[in-house]
Amino acid sequence: MAIARDQDVELTVTTLAHGGLGIARLDGRVVFVSDAIPGETVRARVTEQKKSFWRADTVEVLEASPHRREHIWAEASIERAPEDRAGGADLGHIDLSHQRELKQQVLRESLARFGKVERDVPVEPVTGDTGVNGLGYRTRISLHVAGGGTVGPYAARSNRVIPVQSLPLAVAEVAEAAPLAEKMVGVQRVDVLLAAEGGARLIIDEQAPSPIVERVGEREFQLDDGGFWQVHRSAAQVLTDAVQEAIIPERFDAAAGNLDLYGGVGLLAAAVGDRFGERTRITSVESDERATEHAAENLADWLGARTVNARVDRFLVDLEGAVGTRGAKGATVVLDPPRSGAGREVVERLASLAPAQIVYVACDPVAFSRDVGTFAELGWRLEKLRAFDLFPHTHHLEAVGTLVPIDA
């Protein structure tokens, strides 16, 4: 029987794909299903039909998983039509501990498929999150504005603005400052953020940046209010601790040409310096000019620290061609690429420079696994791995892995 787009079908979901969608099969065809949990049978509406797969949205749960809960965000619930569901909390209908089990499975399967590595580690909760059901952790929220001035998040997998009355993942100060009830005609985007000082603030479209201060322990970091900083209130501390733990001390040489690649405002370079002392040599490389300027200020405590404003791939080409230096030989490299991963070119150039160890901070399990697979082809192994639930009620996770040469 031919099935048309917008037709309802009955599906049994077997597993969770990277991206938070359930996987089901219909007449042998893969169907990616939103708002479903592995083990459930649902009635779903077909929304997209490609040659290799279809997409569908759950409209009714016929046989519910024991892990299903009332959605933490009423505006994202399946009680609403799929096109009217707010995006940004795609696992909000699943028990929090089971969310972490599903993310663990996604990381494990990604590593096996793309990295050819058998590794299974728990996705660790951030202290304090479990007791509040993973709510109220975001210090940064991006909202969008419809043509008539309505403010809200986009619908899932859409650029349609959804009016909402609440922001359950935001810290209280951000939720209170968000202009959800206002009409903002002529505006396209509103970012709401809470820094360590000064209370919550709004950033309207691409207004001129203002400096803010964030803190990790006793250390302060300067950055622009529109610049990148982790959204979870505790993420910067969690990743600082994780990177420090991931570095194998016996393989660390403070005098080597240590690198912090995709370094941002210097958070992880500072983590290395705090672990191994003020004379640690480390170069933080970042393509954003303003972030590099802030990194120079933030790393001023370390005599051996310097910052370079450059694309990582071009920096590595220059480093490879440098004459009369050790380059990165014997160095420790912290690698924190964007969601798309470092990619083959960067991995190949980095491996050719013969560092002693690479600490890879990853926000995408598939991109990370692909890069791990490339490193393996080049004679490296994944020595250590941890994973963290820095984005409760979403499919995102953060992983920190240590790679060393196979013959090490």
Side-chain angles (χ1 to χ4, degrees):
M1 179 181 70
I3 296 173
R5 184 177 174 182
D6 295 328
Q7 184 173 335
D8 288 1
V9 294
E10 184 174 312
L11 299 169
T12 298
V13 177
T14 57
T15 189
L16 191 76
H18 172 53
L21 298 174
I23 298 177
R25 290 190 177 272
L26 183 65
D27 298 330
R29 179 184 294 105
V30 172
V31 184
F32 293 106
V33 191
S34 69
D35 300 307
I37 306 173
E40 289 189 329
T41 299
V42 301
R43 181 167 63 86
R45 188 158 300 150
V46 176
T47 59
E48 187 176 359
Q49 294 174 307
K50 292 184 177 290
K51 186 175 181 179
S52 56
F53 66 88
W54 287 4
R55 294 185 189 273
D57 291 321
T58 298
V59 292
E60 182 184 4
V61 179
L62 303 176
E63 295 181 22
S65 164
H67 304 292
R68 178 171 284 274
R69 299 291 182 267
E70 181 179 352
H71 204 291
I72 54 98
W73 199 3
E75 290 93 336
S77 168
I78 63 166
E79 303 303 319
R80 286 188 163 207
E83 63 272 17
D84 293 332
R85 296 172 193 166
D90 51 358
L91 301 188
H93 57 290
I94 306 175
D95 172 76
L96 189 59
S97 62
H98 192 57
Q99 290 180 32
R100 295 177 187 136
E101 292 173 0
L102 293 172
K103 294 178 188 184
Q104 178 178 344
Q105 167 204 306
V106 167
L107 178 58
R108 179 181 68 245
E109 293 178 353
S110 297
L111 282 168
R113 179 179 178 186
F114 299 105
K116 310 304 180 190
V117 172
E118 298 297 328
R119 193 66 60 90
D120 192 15
V121 297
V123 176
E124 303 173 34
V126 176
T127 300
D129 276 359
T130 300
V132 295
N133 192 31
L135 303 178
Y137 65 86
R138 290 190 67 108
T139 61
R140 285 154 170 77
I141 290 285
S142 291
L143 301 170
H144 305 275
V145 185
T150 299
V151 179
Y154 281 147
R157 297 172 297 283
S158 169
N159 289 336
R160 182 166 175 261
V161 175
I162 303 299
V164 298
Q165 297 180 354
S166 64
L167 296 169
L169 299 186
V171 297
E173 296 90 336
V174 166
E176 291 167 5
L180 299 178
E182 297 181 25
K183 292 291 185 181
M184 304 190 72
V185 178
V187 173
Q188 294 183 318
R189 172 171 164 162
V190 181
D191 288 287
V192 191
L193 70 91
L194 178 72
E197 297 177 352
R201 66 172 69 191
L202 305 185
I203 305 174
I204 309 298
D205 289 335
E206 298 198 6
Q207 68 188 51
S210 298
I212 59 173
V213 172
E214 294 286 6
R215 292 195 183 92
V216 180
E218 299 297 316
R219 188 166 296 286
E220 292 187 348
F221 292 86
Q222 296 183 41
L223 64 150
D224 287 347
D225 53 6
F228 175 78
W229 190 257
Q230 292 284 339
V231 300
H232 192 295
R233 65 184 184 278
S234 301
Q237 184 66 66
V238 168
L239 292 178
T240 291
D241 295 343
V243 166
Q244 290 176 337
E245 188 273 337
I247 297 171
I248 301 169
E250 296 79 14
R251 302 191 66 78
F252 186 82
D253 179 359
N258 302 301
L259 298 174
D260 170 30
L261 302 181
Y262 310 95
V265 297
L267 172 69
L268 300 182
V272 178
D274 277 342
R275 169 86 194 273
F276 294 100
E278 65 179 14
R279 295 189 176 277
T280 297
R281 287 187 60 206
I282 189 162
T283 298
S284 185
V285 182
E286 169 58 46
S287 62
D288 182 272
E289 185 175 359
R290 286 287 296 167
T292 306
E293 291 172 1
H294 286 301
E297 299 170 354
N298 296 333
L299 298 176
D301 287 358
W302 291 275
L303 302 177
R306 72 183 185 109
T307 57
V308 175
N309 177 219
R311 282 178 38 168
V312 167
D313 55 349
R314 293 175 182 171
F315 171 82
L316 294 177
V317 169
D318 292 342
L319 189 62
E320 195 174 28
V323 178
T325 71
R326 289 176 57 185
K329 185 175 178 60
T332 292
V333 177
V334 178
L335 187 65
D336 185 12
R339 195 168 300 282
S340 56
R344 178 169 287 274
E345 180 184 353
V346 167
V347 170
E348 288 178 345
R349 292 196 180 281
L350 192 51
S352 72
L353 291 168
Q357 60 186 326
I358 297 167
V359 175
Y360 193 132
V361 180
C363 58
D364 184 283
V366 170
F368 171 62
S369 298
R370 286 195 179 111
D371 287 343
V372 167
T374 304
F375 275 115
E377 293 172 17
L378 300 171
W380 289 69
R381 70 173 186 271
L382 184 62
E383 181 75 2
K384 301 169 70 173
L385 180 65
R386 294 177 72 188
F388 303 92
D389 193 16
L390 299 187
F391 311 92
H393 301 294
T394 81
H395 68 271
H396 299 292
L397 62 91
E398 202 90 8
V400 179
T402 306
L403 293 131
V404 299
I406 287 175
D407 57 3

